[in-house]
Amino acid sequence: MKTKLKVDVSDLRLSELSNVEVDQKKLSLFIFEWGKISTKTMDHYAKVFQTQGYQFKAPRELHGLLKRIDIRGVPYFNKKG
């Protein structure tokens, strides 16, 4: 992400990484939280990621997605705080 998409990765916080199966395809699901950035910057990053096939979804949209997919082997990263 840092070199290919030119994104300041210090703006992203990986909170969860999961292995999922969608339509019999095995995929990785990365759940990031944005750091303290402006809405304009967040929108810019979302557009940059979409050009490479990545998608950002709001938590309310993600909840519905997770109900429809098969999740296996889910590592969880504990948040400090």
Side-chain angles (χ1 to χ4, degrees):
M1 288 189 286
K2 182 178 179 179
T3 56
K4 187 173 184 178
L5 301 177
K6 308 290 188 236
V7 171
D8 182 355
V9 294
S10 63
D11 288 337
L12 294 172
R13 308 285 184 267
L14 179 63
S15 65
E16 194 167 335
L17 169 61
S18 301
N19 301 312
V20 299
E21 190 171 312
V22 178
D23 297 328
Q24 299 178 342
K25 286 182 169 178
K26 294 181 182 178
L27 305 170
S28 295
L29 174 68
F30 299 90
I31 299 178
F32 290 98
E33 295 177 25
W34 291 108
K36 295 181 181 180
I37 61 173
S38 69
T39 301
K40 183 179 178 179
T41 301
M42 183 173 44
D43 290 344
H44 169 73
Y45 283 165
K47 288 177 186 174
V48 169
F49 276 64
Q50 285 175 350
T51 65
Q52 297 298 315
Y54 298 99
Q55 294 182 25
F56 278 92
K57 298 292 183 184
R60 65 185 170 276
E61 296 176 69
L62 185 60
H63 181 71
L65 171 68
L66 293 176
K67 285 183 174 182
R68 299 189 331 249
I69 61 178
D70 182 17
I71 301 176
R72 300 171 195 248
V74 182
Y76 182 77
F77 298 102
N78 291 326
K79 294 180 187 178
K80 293 181 181 179

